Amino acid sequence: MDEVAFHLNQRLESFQVQLLSVIQHGNMAIHSRMQELHNLALAAIESNQATAVRQTFRTIWEKLVYLIQEAKASFPRAVNPVVLYDEFMLMLGNELNRRNFYTGCVGFALGGMIGVVVGMSLHSPPSPSQRIRAVVCMDYRGLDAVSTSDDVPMPILTSPDQMLIEVRAASLDFLDIKISSGYGRVLRRQLHKYSASTPKELPVVLGRDCSGVVVDIGHDVKNFEIGDEVWLAVPYWASGTLAQYVVAKERQVARKPRGIGFEGAAALPYSGSIAWDAMVNQAKLNSKNTRGKRILVHCGSSPVGCVVTQLARLWGAHVTVTCPARALTVCNALGADDTIVFEEGPVDKQLASRERFNVVFNTLGAVVHDSCLRFCDDDGIVVTTVATKIASDSYGFILGTLYAIWVKIQCLVMKEKVAWGAVHLNSDTLNELAKLVDNGQLQPVVDKIFSPRDVELAFQHTDSAQAIGKTVIRFSGFGFNEDDSQSMRSRSSARSSKPDILT
């Protein structure tokens, strides 16, 4: 046993000696390799190539530091406008005078504005995914281009002072027929470029007024809540109201009169605002100075004529109206003191037998303008309520370009303060009309009511000589569905001999 332990001990000692020898040789080899690498590194650093690289990096760093120091020293001088002007003049020499300099500045500014206009026109915001029903004209071919579409983008709130309104009823106006033929297309095209809710010119949603219920409001809207019943009117260049939903600013909207329904309320906002502007702002009439005046309304059965007749009679004037035979009963019910029927002979001959008038309201247009002047007092006034021709609609390329620049400048400088000729379409006027309606002093005249699918018939009636007052489109959502369209047409036809005066 001892012998075995002795041999095992000898083997362990021999293994230890060999292991120590291997470690020593390994340390010597590693030290030798490290010394060789160190010598190679020193040789490389001291070589000509390494010296050139170090010199290059040193030169670049020195130049960078020099440039930074120069920039810091010259910055105050570089931002001095006087120095910049002197350097600019020195660069161009004596060929530049003050007039040329100013001309160049103006050209630079105009070029910048044109660039902004082009950039804005190329910008196309994403279209809403939800679609609604609306009465639109797809181009400017007149009534042939008017139809009902179920693929109109849902309007959205793009400003904190806007309101989203669910339309219950909207009326047709003769101005919509003009719009379908291109009226106001140039201004509409320019303004729609800068409108987030209606960025495209076509299709154009028709309709100038409506009544409905508020379904959403911006955070700056103070006078309305969701669920309020309202009415509103919009100008010719704005997106129309013949749609299931419309977006309008708070200043365009007023609370609907309590005593009438949505159909009657839809018949008054636009024609009532036009009539109020004609009487109060243009003819300077009011409840105190109108009594005893002789007033002629040409023609008293038009939408505006129906309102003017009532206001003039309310304020104490002697009112004479011209009208078709079918409208005789309606005009008398509205308060006309004297009626001249078209079918009973030449209107001018009938007017010649009357005393001349202090104020004449022309609701027919240029066709009776000379007649209005002929039968107005020398110190009287003739007020035309029909939309006149817009000069911008006939502009060519050069004038059109300048006009587009002017519109863009107005939009940038004045923003939304520019009324573009629609200053009378506001909540103040609508509130005055609502008071008169609630007091029983003003009544809407609704001739016929149609569904959106019968819009072609509705426009044909509006454009005919048989129209009296307003033609209304009733939208779904308030006790109406598409299955009732036939019965609605039947009710309209049944009362074709006499329109409703809603009270």
Side-chain angles (χ1 to χ4, degrees):
M1 189 66 181
D2 293 336
E3 185 178 358
V4 173
F6 175 75
H7 286 292
L8 180 60
N9 187 39
Q10 283 185 334
R11 288 183 177 279
L12 289 174
E13 290 178 355
S14 176
F15 177 74
Q16 291 176 353
V17 171
Q18 293 178 358
L19 180 61
L20 290 174
S21 176
V22 169
I23 292 173
Q24 290 176 355
H25 282 89
N27 287 335
M28 292 177 61
I30 293 173
H31 180 74
S32 176
R33 297 301 181 189
M34 292 294 293
Q35 187 65 36
E36 291 178 2
L37 292 174
H38 181 264
N39 293 335
L40 290 174
L42 290 177
I45 292 173
E46 294 176 356
S47 65
N48 294 333
Q49 293 83 352
T51 302
V53 171
R54 289 199 305 273
Q55 185 63 32
T56 299
F57 277 108
R58 185 181 295 110
T59 302
I60 294 173
W61 177 254
E62 291 176 352
K63 289 184 178 180
L64 182 61
V65 171
Y66 175 78
L67 290 175
I68 293 174
Q69 292 175 346
E70 284 291 317
K72 291 175 62 177
S74 61
F75 180 76
R77 177 182 175 85
V79 298
N80 190 328
V82 177
V83 175
L84 288 175
Y85 177 78
D86 292 340
E87 293 289 340
F88 187 63
M89 297 294 290
L90 181 63
M91 179 182 66
L92 296 179
N94 298 325
E95 296 181 0
L96 182 67
N97 55 33
R98 178 173 297 181
R99 185 181 65 180
N100 292 339
F101 176 73
Y102 290 154
T103 302
C105 291
V106 171
F108 179 79
L110 288 177
M113 290 182 207
I114 293 174
V116 171
V117 170
V118 173
M120 292 291 291
S121 63
L122 294 177
H123 173 68
S124 180
S127 300
S129 57
Q130 187 175 353
R131 302 287 163 167
I132 63 172
R133 174 176 297 177
V135 177
V136 300
C137 65
M138 304 304 297
D139 51 50
Y140 295 126
R141 293 182 291 111
L143 291 180
D144 291 339
V146 175
S147 62
T148 299
S149 173
D150 292 325
D151 193 34
V152 176
M154 174 77 171
I156 58 175
L157 300 182
T158 58
S159 177
D161 62 341
Q162 289 181 335
M163 305 162 58
L164 179 63
I165 299 166
E166 180 187 2
V167 177
R168 298 294 175 81
S171 71
L172 307 184
D173 194 88
F174 191 77
L175 182 61
D176 292 311
I177 299 176
K178 287 188 173 183
I179 291 174
S180 69
S181 297
Y183 183 86
R185 63 185 181 277
V186 175
L187 179 59
R188 187 179 304 108
R189 182 188 308 123
Q190 299 303 323
L191 294 180
H192 280 207
K193 291 179 181 179
Y194 317 118
S195 172
S197 57
T198 54
K200 295 182 179 180
E201 178 192 4
L202 293 171
V204 176
V205 179
L206 301 175
R208 298 303 100 198
D209 50 11
C210 70
S211 61
V213 178
V214 178
V215 294
D216 195 11
I217 58 175
H219 59 76
D220 284 351
V221 175
K222 306 299 182 184
N223 300 317
F224 297 91
E225 298 290 343
I226 294 176
D228 286 346
E229 296 181 354
V230 296
W231 63 352
L232 66 128
V234 297
Y236 68 90
W237 44 262
S239 181
T241 58
L242 285 169
Q244 289 178 301
Y245 293 89
V246 298
V247 167
K249 292 187 175 295
E250 183 179 16
R251 65 173 181 266
Q252 297 176 298
V253 184
R255 281 183 171 78
K256 180 183 76 67
R258 298 182 299 273
I260 58 176
F262 287 103
E263 291 83 0
L268 268 178
Y270 187 78
S271 58
S273 297
I274 296 294
W276 184 271
D277 177 67
M279 294 197 67
V280 176
N281 299 325
Q282 298 185 54
K284 307 300 181 184
L285 297 176
N286 54 55
S287 59
K288 298 179 180 179
N289 65 5
T290 308
R291 183 168 300 277
K293 291 185 180 296
R294 291 181 50 79
I295 292 179
L296 170 64
V297 182
H298 227 332
C299 123
S301 60
S302 67
V304 175
C306 290
V307 180
V308 170
T309 300
Q310 295 182 76
L311 292 179
R313 190 67 183 91
L314 173 66
W315 293 344
H318 181 278
V319 184
T320 299
V321 303
T322 63
C323 66
R326 176 175 178 259
L328 180 60
T329 303
V330 173
C331 291
N332 288 333
L334 295 177
D337 298 291
D338 186 16
T339 54
I340 296 176
V341 180
F342 296 146
E343 290 86 349
E344 292 182 358
V347 173
D348 286 1
K349 186 176 180 179
Q350 297 184 63
L351 286 172
S353 63
R354 271 86 168 172
E355 185 180 348
R356 296 172 73 185
F357 301 93
N358 304 115
V359 184
V360 178
F361 291 97
N362 177 8
T363 71
L364 289 178
V367 65
V368 296
H369 181 68
D370 292 338
S371 175
C372 292
L373 294 175
R374 188 180 309 117
F375 297 106
C376 183
D377 277 342
D378 294 335
D379 57 348
I381 182 173
V382 175
V383 179
T384 300
T385 63
V386 179
T388 57
K389 184 179 179 180
I390 301 177
S392 61
D393 287 341
S394 59
Y395 286 166
F397 176 77
I398 297 177
L399 287 178
T401 302
L402 296 176
Y403 182 72
I405 295 173
W406 179 77
V407 171
K408 178 58 180 177
I409 294 174
Q410 291 282 86
C411 292
L412 289 175
V413 176
M414 302 298 293
K415 297 189 181 298
E416 298 176 353
K417 297 179 181 179
V418 184
W420 305 107
V423 66
H424 54 283
L425 300 177
N426 55 61
S427 59
D428 293 336
T429 302
L430 294 176
N431 286 328
E432 293 292 336
L433 296 174
K435 292 177 183 177
L436 295 175
V437 174
D438 286 333
N439 292 334
Q441 298 170 322
L442 179 64
Q443 305 174 38
V445 179
V446 176
D447 194 358
K448 290 189 177 183
I449 301 176
F450 292 87
S451 76
R453 294 195 181 278
D454 296 324
V455 67
E456 294 182 6
L457 295 175
F459 269 107
Q460 289 174 9
H461 179 72
T462 301
D463 195 29
S464 71
Q466 298 299 315
I468 302 175
K470 275 299 189 84
T471 301
V472 172
I473 299 293
R474 180 190 293 164
F475 282 86
S476 59
F478 189 68
F480 172 78
N481 55 58
E482 290 303 323
D483 295 335
D484 296 331
S485 62
Q486 182 62 41
S487 61
M488 179 179 297
R489 287 195 295 270
S490 299
R491 292 195 299 272
S492 298
S493 300
R495 62 169 186 264
S496 61
S497 61
K498 182 181 178 180
D500 288 342
I501 302 178
L502 301 180
T503 59

